[in-house]
Amino acid sequence: MDKLKPCPFCGGKAEITETASGHGSREFTMEYRIGCQSCRVYFRRETRLRIEGGKPVFIVNGYQEAINDWNRRAGETE
């Protein structure tokens, strides 16, 4: 798992949890909830993928989006 920066509000430890949302129309969805254990600031990102040739193909990679969004800080350059 990628390293999560501390909470930008209180400095608390961040956590990420995964929930399998379901499937349909040949797509699978999962939801990632990321945030602070101390001040309870959270947001969600969804992953959508499909299987092609026996391998997962990401339509949206919510896991990586969640980590990137959480670790982004105002004034920092990428």
Side-chain angles (χ1 to χ4, degrees), residues 7-75:
C7 177
F9 302 106
C10 74
K13 183 178 178 182
E15 66 179 355
I16 188 166
T17 57
E18 174 184 271
T19 305
S21 302
H23 59 86
S25 303
R26 303 177 78 172
E27 287 185 9
F28 298 87
T29 58
M30 292 165 282
E31 182 177 89
Y32 294 95
R33 180 176 170 235
I34 190 168
C36 177
Q37 297 174 350
S38 297
C39 67
R40 302 286 186 208
V41 172
Y42 290 95
F43 64 85
R44 293 174 164 81
R45 295 294 182 263
E46 183 180 78
T47 291
R48 291 184 8 238
L49 61 95
R50 65 180 174 271
I51 305 298
E52 289 183 6
K55 296 180 182 178
V57 176
F58 285 97
I59 300 164
V60 176
N61 187 346
Y63 177 80
Q64 196 59 54
E65 283 182 6
I67 291 171
N68 293 344
D69 290 349
W70 178 262
N71 286 338
R72 185 178 302 120
R73 298 294 188 261

